[in-house]
Amino acid sequence: MAPYLKDWRGRYEGVALAVVRPGSTEEVRATVAWARAHSVGIVPQGGNTGLAGGATPTSDSPDGPAQIVLSLTRMARVRKVDRVAMTLEAEAGCIVEHAKQAAVEAGRFLPISFGAQGSATIGGMIATNAGGINALRYGTARQLVLGLEAVLADGTVVRGLGGLRKDNAGYDWKQLLIGSEGTLGIVTAAVLRLAPLPAERELAFAAVASPERALALLERCQDAMGDAISAFELMSGPTMEIVVGHLGGRAPLASPASGGGPADWLVLIEVADSAGRLRGRLEGALADAADAGVVLDAALPESAEQTRRFWTLRESVGEAERRGERSVKHDVAVRVSDVPAFIRDAEAALARLSPALRTIVFGHLGDGNLHFNVVVPRNGTGAASVADEAVTRAVHDVVARFGGSITAEHGIGQYRTGELLRLKAPEELALMRRLKRALDPEGLLNPGKVISGEPPSGWSPPL
Ligand SMILES: Cc1cc2nc3c(=O)[nH]c(=O)nc-3n(C[C@H](O)[C@H](O)[C@H](O)COP(=O)(O)OP(=O)(O)OC[C@H]3O[C@@H](n4cnc5c(N)ncnc54)[C@H](O)[C@@H]3O)c2cc1C
C-alpha cells in the first residue's frame, strides 16, 4: 500500500484500512455504499501527483479515524473520440497523456499540458481543475469539461455524459465537482472538449531585464499574434540555474546585463496555429521588441531536438526543485498586470522577515499565476532560520492585498486548509460549508481536505 499513502512531494504520509481499486462505476458505487455503512472516510486518488496532499489520507495512526484510499487507476479507458463533435470520452483513471495521444490519433488536440501529465489522470485533472501551460489560450480543465459521470457520497450515480455544448436545463451540477478535490463526489468518467490539431507550433526563449519588460513583451506578442499565443511562461534567473544544474548543459540565453551570466528573467513563448507562417511573425515580434529595448536577446530552436530541450528546461523545474534545497511552496494568482508589483512587494516582505531568504519564481505569466517558492536557509543545527508558516503568511498577505488567490492551480488539499480559513471571506466559507453539508452530510468524502461541513465554534448563521 505504501506508494498510495505518500504524496508526490513526500510531505504527507497517512494511514488507511485498505487501498480499493474498483474497475467500474458500479464497483465505485458499491465501495461508497460499504464505506457509508461503516462510517469509513474515502480518499479518492488518481495518479497521486497532486501538490497539496489532497490524495493522501489525513489519518496518521491505525487508531485514528478509519479511511480507505479509492484508486481510480484501473478505470483507464478512452471510450471514444468524436471527430465531428470534437469530444473525447474517458474513464476517470485514464492517464492525461494517453487521452492526448488518442486525440492526436484522431487528428484532434486535447488542449491541456502540464509537467505531470504522464502520470496524472483525467479524474485528478478535473478534481484539481488543473491549468498548465496552455490555459492562457484554452482555459483550465473547467473549460474543457462538457460532461461528467460521478458517484456521490450517498452512493447515487449521476450521469451527464451527453457532451452537449449547450445545456441550460437546470443547475450545471458538474461545475460543483470540478476543482472540488474529491470532497463533493467521485468522478468516474468525463467528456472533454477537443480543439483542432495545430499544424504549426513555434517556440522562443527571450531574455528580459524585469517582470515589467516581460509584460511589455506579452502585450506586443498579443498585438502581433493574437490568440495564437498558447503559452507565455516566466522564469527567474535563479530558477533556470537550478534546472540547468539538475539537467546539465547550458542555459539557452545569457544576459548581457549580468555580464554574460544567466539572464535575470526569461520568457518561454509558444505560438500554435492551424494555418501556418507563424515563425516569421514570432521572429518579427521579437525583433521589434529588441529594437524597442523590451527584449535583451532571444533564441528560436533550430531543430526538433532543441524544441524538446526548451520545453524540458521549463517542465523540469518541479523535479529540479525536489532534488535541490527545500523550499516553501506558493501557487498564487494576481491580475496579469499586477504581476511585477506583486513580485516586488512579496520580495520586500520576505526581506523584512530575513535577508537570507531566496526566491525561486516561475509560472504562467499570461494567466497571472506564479509559483513563488522561498528557500529558507538552515542554521548550523539544521533548523530553519524562519518558520515556514511565517514565510507563507508574509507571501499570502501580499496576495490578499492584491485581491489575488492563494492557489491558482494546485488546490487546497491538506496543505492550505489553514490559510483558506484565514484569508477567504466568511460569507464564501459559509457557502462552501453549506455545499459540503448538502452533498456529504456525514463528511465521508476526503475528510480533512479543503473544508469540513462543520461551522467553526462560536459561529451563528446570518439571519
Ligand atoms: C511535476 C508536476 C507539475 C505539475 N504542473 C502543474 C501545472 O502546470 N498546472 C496544474 O494545474 N497542476 C500541475 N500539477 C499538479 C496537478 O494538478 C496534478 O498533478 C494533477 O491534476 C492531479 O492529477 P492526479 O490524477 O495525479 O490526482 P491525485 O494527485 O491523485 O489527486 C489530486 C486531488 O484530486 C482528487 N481526485 C483524484 N481523482 C479523483 C476522482 N476521480 N474523483 C474525485 N476526486 C479525485 C484527490 O482526492 C485529490 O484531492 C503538477 C504536478 C507535478 C507533480
PDB file of all heavy atoms in Angstrom, residues 83-107:
ATOM      1  N   ARG A  83     -14.736  12.918 -33.820  1.00  0.00           N
ATOM      2  CA  ARG A  83     -14.009  13.934 -34.597  1.00  0.00           C
ATOM      3  C   ARG A  83     -14.889  15.131 -34.941  1.00  0.00           C
ATOM      4  O   ARG A  83     -14.443  16.272 -34.943  1.00  0.00           O
ATOM      5  CB  ARG A  83     -13.513  13.319 -35.914  1.00  0.00           C
ATOM      6  CG  ARG A  83     -12.131  12.705 -35.835  1.00  0.00           C
ATOM      7  CD  ARG A  83     -11.760  12.104 -37.178  1.00  0.00           C
ATOM      8  NE  ARG A  83     -11.769  13.096 -38.259  1.00  0.00           N
ATOM      9  CZ  ARG A  83     -10.762  13.926 -38.532  1.00  0.00           C
ATOM     10  NH1 ARG A  83      -9.657  13.867 -37.826  1.00  0.00           N
ATOM     11  NH2 ARG A  83     -10.854  14.789 -39.524  1.00  0.00           N
ATOM     12  N   VAL A  84     -16.169  14.863 -35.250  1.00  0.00           N
ATOM     13  CA  VAL A  84     -17.041  15.954 -35.697  1.00  0.00           C
ATOM     14  C   VAL A  84     -17.476  16.819 -34.513  1.00  0.00           C
ATOM     15  O   VAL A  84     -17.359  18.050 -34.534  1.00  0.00           O
ATOM     16  CB  VAL A  84     -18.282  15.399 -36.431  1.00  0.00           C
ATOM     17  CG1 VAL A  84     -19.165  16.536 -36.914  1.00  0.00           C
ATOM     18  CG2 VAL A  84     -17.859  14.507 -37.582  1.00  0.00           C
ATOM     19  N   ALA A  85     -17.919  16.157 -33.451  1.00  0.00           N
ATOM     20  CA  ALA A  85     -18.339  16.920 -32.262  1.00  0.00           C
ATOM     21  C   ALA A  85     -17.124  17.471 -31.526  1.00  0.00           C
ATOM     22  O   ALA A  85     -17.248  18.327 -30.656  1.00  0.00           O
ATOM     23  CB  ALA A  85     -19.156  16.030 -31.339  1.00  0.00           C
ATOM     24  N   MET A  86     -15.934  16.975 -31.881  1.00  0.00           N
ATOM     25  CA  MET A  86     -14.671  17.356 -31.243  1.00  0.00           C
ATOM     26  C   MET A  86     -14.744  17.111 -29.740  1.00  0.00           C
ATOM     27  O   MET A  86     -14.550  18.021 -28.910  1.00  0.00           O
ATOM     28  CB  MET A  86     -14.326  18.810 -31.544  1.00  0.00           C
ATOM     29  CG  MET A  86     -14.112  19.040 -33.019  1.00  0.00           C
ATOM     30  SD  MET A  86     -12.498  19.659 -33.392  1.00  0.00           S
ATOM     31  CE  MET A  86     -12.804  21.381 -33.418  1.00  0.00           C
ATOM     32  N   THR A  87     -15.054  15.844 -29.377  1.00  0.00           N
ATOM     33  CA  THR A  87     -15.093  15.475 -27.961  1.00  0.00           C
ATOM     34  C   THR A  87     -14.365  14.150 -27.749  1.00  0.00           C
ATOM     35  O   THR A  87     -14.212  13.359 -28.684  1.00  0.00           O
ATOM     36  CB  THR A  87     -16.547  15.305 -27.451  1.00  0.00           C
ATOM     37  OG1 THR A  87     -17.198  14.326 -28.261  1.00  0.00           O
ATOM     38  CG2 THR A  87     -17.316  16.604 -27.493  1.00  0.00           C
ATOM     39  N   LEU A  88     -13.959  13.948 -26.509  1.00  0.00           N
ATOM     40  CA  LEU A  88     -13.316  12.691 -26.114  1.00  0.00           C
ATOM     41  C   LEU A  88     -13.943  12.248 -24.810  1.00  0.00           C
ATOM     42  O   LEU A  88     -14.088  13.046 -23.885  1.00  0.00           O
ATOM     43  CB  LEU A  88     -11.809  12.927 -25.929  1.00  0.00           C
ATOM     44  CG  LEU A  88     -10.954  11.746 -25.458  1.00  0.00           C
ATOM     45  CD1 LEU A  88      -9.570  11.810 -26.107  1.00  0.00           C
ATOM     46  CD2 LEU A  88     -10.790  11.745 -23.940  1.00  0.00           C
ATOM     47  N   GLU A  89     -14.367  10.972 -24.762  1.00  0.00           N
ATOM     48  CA  GLU A  89     -14.929  10.449 -23.508  1.00  0.00           C
ATOM     49  C   GLU A  89     -13.939   9.456 -22.918  1.00  0.00           C
ATOM     50  O   GLU A  89     -13.455   8.562 -23.610  1.00  0.00           O
ATOM     51  CB  GLU A  89     -16.270   9.764 -23.783  1.00  0.00           C
ATOM     52  CG  GLU A  89     -16.911   9.213 -22.518  1.00  0.00           C
ATOM     53  CD  GLU A  89     -18.283   8.602 -22.765  1.00  0.00           C
ATOM     54  OE1 GLU A  89     -19.019   9.086 -23.652  1.00  0.00           O
ATOM     55  OE2 GLU A  89     -18.602   7.629 -22.065  1.00  0.00           O
ATOM     56  N   ALA A  90     -13.611   9.642 -21.642  1.00  0.00           N
ATOM     57  CA  ALA A  90     -12.643   8.742 -20.999  1.00  0.00           C
ATOM     58  C   ALA A  90     -13.075   8.444 -19.575  1.00  0.00           C
ATOM     59  O   ALA A  90     -13.803   9.229 -18.947  1.00  0.00           O
ATOM     60  CB  ALA A  90     -11.256   9.385 -20.982  1.00  0.00           C
ATOM     61  N   GLU A  91     -12.585   7.303 -19.068  1.00  0.00           N
ATOM     62  CA  GLU A  91     -12.819   6.974 -17.661  1.00  0.00           C
ATOM     63  C   GLU A  91     -11.878   7.808 -16.796  1.00  0.00           C
ATOM     64  O   GLU A  91     -10.834   8.285 -17.262  1.00  0.00           O
ATOM     65  CB  GLU A  91     -12.576   5.479 -17.439  1.00  0.00           C
ATOM     66  CG  GLU A  91     -13.604   4.627 -18.159  1.00  0.00           C
ATOM     67  CD  GLU A  91     -13.331   3.130 -18.082  1.00  0.00           C
ATOM     68  OE1 GLU A  91     -12.207   2.731 -17.666  1.00  0.00           O
ATOM     69  OE2 GLU A  91     -14.234   2.372 -18.445  1.00  0.00           O
ATOM     70  N   ALA A  92     -12.248   7.940 -15.518  1.00  0.00           N
ATOM     71  CA  ALA A  92     -11.524   8.871 -14.635  1.00  0.00           C
ATOM     72  C   ALA A  92     -10.057   8.520 -14.452  1.00  0.00           C
ATOM     73  O   ALA A  92      -9.214   9.395 -14.285  1.00  0.00           O
ATOM     74  CB  ALA A  92     -12.204   8.919 -13.271  1.00  0.00           C
ATOM     75  N   GLY A  93      -9.717   7.216 -14.499  1.00  0.00           N
ATOM     76  CA  GLY A  93      -8.333   6.814 -14.230  1.00  0.00           C
ATOM     77  C   GLY A  93      -7.443   6.860 -15.462  1.00  0.00           C
ATOM     78  O   GLY A  93      -6.271   6.505 -15.384  1.00  0.00           O
ATOM     79  N   CYS A  94      -7.993   7.311 -16.586  1.00  0.00           N
ATOM     80  CA  CYS A  94      -7.197   7.397 -17.818  1.00  0.00           C
ATOM     81  C   CYS A  94      -6.073   8.426 -17.632  1.00  0.00           C
ATOM     82  O   CYS A  94      -6.312   9.547 -17.170  1.00  0.00           O
ATOM     83  CB  CYS A  94      -8.130   7.813 -18.958  1.00  0.00           C
ATOM     84  SG  CYS A  94      -7.291   8.074 -20.513  1.00  0.00           S
ATOM     85  N   ILE A  95      -4.837   8.046 -17.974  1.00  0.00           N
ATOM     86  CA  ILE A  95      -3.702   8.969 -17.863  1.00  0.00           C
ATOM     87  C   ILE A  95      -3.897  10.107 -18.877  1.00  0.00           C
ATOM     88  O   ILE A  95      -4.264   9.861 -20.033  1.00  0.00           O
ATOM     89  CB  ILE A  95      -2.381   8.222 -18.186  1.00  0.00           C
ATOM     90  CG1 ILE A  95      -2.184   7.027 -17.246  1.00  0.00           C
ATOM     91  CG2 ILE A  95      -1.175   9.148 -18.163  1.00  0.00           C
ATOM     92  CD1 ILE A  95      -1.814   7.354 -15.842  1.00  0.00           C
ATOM     93  N   VAL A  96      -3.654  11.335 -18.462  1.00  0.00           N
ATOM     94  CA  VAL A  96      -3.888  12.506 -19.325  1.00  0.00           C
ATOM     95  C   VAL A  96      -3.126  12.355 -20.649  1.00  0.00           C
ATOM     96  O   VAL A  96      -3.669  12.580 -21.728  1.00  0.00           O
ATOM     97  CB  VAL A  96      -3.480  13.810 -18.592  1.00  0.00           C
ATOM     98  CG1 VAL A  96      -3.588  15.013 -19.512  1.00  0.00           C
ATOM     99  CG2 VAL A  96      -4.329  14.005 -17.334  1.00  0.00           C
ATOM    100  N   GLU A  97      -1.871  11.921 -20.565  1.00  0.00           N
ATOM    101  CA  GLU A  97      -1.050  11.741 -21.774  1.00  0.00           C
ATOM    102  C   GLU A  97      -1.697  10.755 -22.751  1.00  0.00           C
ATOM    103  O   GLU A  97      -1.690  10.976 -23.960  1.00  0.00           O
ATOM    104  CB  GLU A  97       0.331  11.211 -21.324  1.00  0.00           C
ATOM    105  CG  GLU A  97       1.353  11.041 -22.411  1.00  0.00           C
ATOM    106  CD  GLU A  97       2.061  12.332 -22.742  1.00  0.00           C
ATOM    107  OE1 GLU A  97       2.680  12.907 -21.841  1.00  0.00           O
ATOM    108  OE2 GLU A  97       1.978  12.745 -23.907  1.00  0.00           O
ATOM    109  N   HIS A  98      -2.294   9.673 -22.229  1.00  0.00           N
ATOM    110  CA  HIS A  98      -2.930   8.689 -23.102  1.00  0.00           C
ATOM    111  C   HIS A  98      -4.138   9.300 -23.805  1.00  0.00           C
ATOM    112  O   HIS A  98      -4.367   9.052 -24.995  1.00  0.00           O
ATOM    113  CB  HIS A  98      -3.365   7.443 -22.309  1.00  0.00           C
ATOM    114  CG  HIS A  98      -2.209   6.715 -21.697  1.00  0.00           C
ATOM    115  ND1 HIS A  98      -2.346   5.695 -20.796  1.00  0.00           N
ATOM    116  CD2 HIS A  98      -0.863   6.891 -21.854  1.00  0.00           C
ATOM    117  CE1 HIS A  98      -1.149   5.262 -20.420  1.00  0.00           C
ATOM    118  NE2 HIS A  98      -0.237   5.982 -21.040  1.00  0.00           N
ATOM    119  N   ALA A  99      -4.901  10.105 -23.084  1.00  0.00           N
ATOM    120  CA  ALA A  99      -6.054  10.764 -23.707  1.00  0.00           C
ATOM    121  C   ALA A  99      -5.572  11.733 -24.788  1.00  0.00           C
ATOM    122  O   ALA A  99      -6.174  11.840 -25.864  1.00  0.00           O
ATOM    123  CB  ALA A  99      -6.870  11.502 -22.639  1.00  0.00           C
ATOM    124  N   LYS A 100      -4.461  12.419 -24.527  1.00  0.00           N
ATOM    125  CA  LYS A 100      -3.921  13.357 -25.530  1.00  0.00           C
ATOM    126  C   LYS A 100      -3.486  12.596 -26.789  1.00  0.00           C
ATOM    127  O   LYS A 100      -3.740  13.030 -27.915  1.00  0.00           O
ATOM    128  CB  LYS A 100      -2.726  14.137 -24.940  1.00  0.00           C
ATOM    129  CG  LYS A 100      -3.163  15.198 -23.937  1.00  0.00           C
ATOM    130  CD  LYS A 100      -1.972  15.864 -23.297  1.00  0.00           C
ATOM    131  CE  LYS A 100      -1.193  16.727 -24.257  1.00  0.00           C
ATOM    132  NZ  LYS A 100      -1.499  18.134 -24.184  1.00  0.00           N
ATOM    133  N   GLN A 101      -2.846  11.425 -26.580  1.00  0.00           N
ATOM    134  CA  GLN A 101      -2.414  10.629 -27.741  1.00  0.00           C
ATOM    135  C   GLN A 101      -3.621  10.162 -28.552  1.00  0.00           C
ATOM    136  O   GLN A 101      -3.609  10.207 -29.784  1.00  0.00           O
ATOM    137  CB  GLN A 101      -1.619   9.398 -27.283  1.00  0.00           C
ATOM    138  CG  GLN A 101      -0.160   9.701 -27.004  1.00  0.00           C
ATOM    139  CD  GLN A 101       0.483   8.651 -26.107  1.00  0.00           C
ATOM    140  OE1 GLN A 101      -0.094   7.598 -25.825  1.00  0.00           O
ATOM    141  NE2 GLN A 101       1.677   8.946 -25.636  1.00  0.00           N
ATOM    142  N   ALA A 102      -4.688   9.715 -27.853  1.00  0.00           N
ATOM    143  CA  ALA A 102      -5.885   9.233 -28.564  1.00  0.00           C
ATOM    144  C   ALA A 102      -6.480  10.363 -29.399  1.00  0.00           C
ATOM    145  O   ALA A 102      -6.937  10.153 -30.525  1.00  0.00           O
ATOM    146  CB  ALA A 102      -6.905   8.706 -27.561  1.00  0.00           C
ATOM    147  N   ALA A 103      -6.442  11.583 -28.863  1.00  0.00           N
ATOM    148  CA  ALA A 103      -6.967  12.732 -29.617  1.00  0.00           C
ATOM    149  C   ALA A 103      -6.114  12.977 -30.860  1.00  0.00           C
ATOM    150  O   ALA A 103      -6.645  13.167 -31.962  1.00  0.00           O
ATOM    151  CB  ALA A 103      -7.001  13.976 -28.729  1.00  0.00           C
ATOM    152  N   VAL A 104      -4.796  12.932 -30.710  1.00  0.00           N
ATOM    153  CA  VAL A 104      -3.894  13.168 -31.857  1.00  0.00           C
ATOM    154  C   VAL A 104      -4.109  12.099 -32.930  1.00  0.00           C
ATOM    155  O   VAL A 104      -4.168  12.400 -34.129  1.00  0.00           O
ATOM    156  CB  VAL A 104      -2.411  13.207 -31.398  1.00  0.00           C
ATOM    157  CG1 VAL A 104      -1.459  13.177 -32.588  1.00  0.00           C
ATOM    158  CG2 VAL A 104      -2.148  14.440 -30.548  1.00  0.00           C
ATOM    159  N   GLU A 105      -4.286  10.838 -32.499  1.00  0.00           N
ATOM    160  CA  GLU A 105      -4.519   9.769 -33.482  1.00  0.00           C
ATOM    161  C   GLU A 105      -5.778  10.033 -34.294  1.00  0.00           C
ATOM    162  O   GLU A 105      -5.885   9.610 -35.439  1.00  0.00           O
ATOM    163  CB  GLU A 105      -4.621   8.412 -32.771  1.00  0.00           C
ATOM    164  CG  GLU A 105      -3.234   7.849 -32.443  1.00  0.00           C
ATOM    165  CD  GLU A 105      -3.269   6.822 -31.317  1.00  0.00           C
ATOM    166  OE1 GLU A 105      -4.334   6.210 -31.083  1.00  0.00           O
ATOM    167  OE2 GLU A 105      -2.214   6.661 -30.661  1.00  0.00           O
ATOM    168  N   ALA A 106      -6.728  10.777 -33.719  1.00  0.00           N
ATOM    169  CA  ALA A 106      -7.952  11.123 -34.453  1.00  0.00           C
ATOM    170  C   ALA A 106      -7.811  12.494 -35.127  1.00  0.00           C
ATOM    171  O   ALA A 106      -8.793  13.054 -35.616  1.00  0.00           O
ATOM    172  CB  ALA A 106      -9.143  11.125 -33.491  1.00  0.00           C
ATOM    173  N   GLY A 107      -6.607  13.047 -35.146  1.00  0.00           N
ATOM    174  CA  GLY A 107      -6.398  14.348 -35.796  1.00  0.00           C
ATOM    175  C   GLY A 107      -6.946  15.512 -34.989  1.00  0.00           C
ATOM    176  O   GLY A 107      -7.268  16.571 -35.537  1.00  0.00           O
TER     177      GLY A 107
END
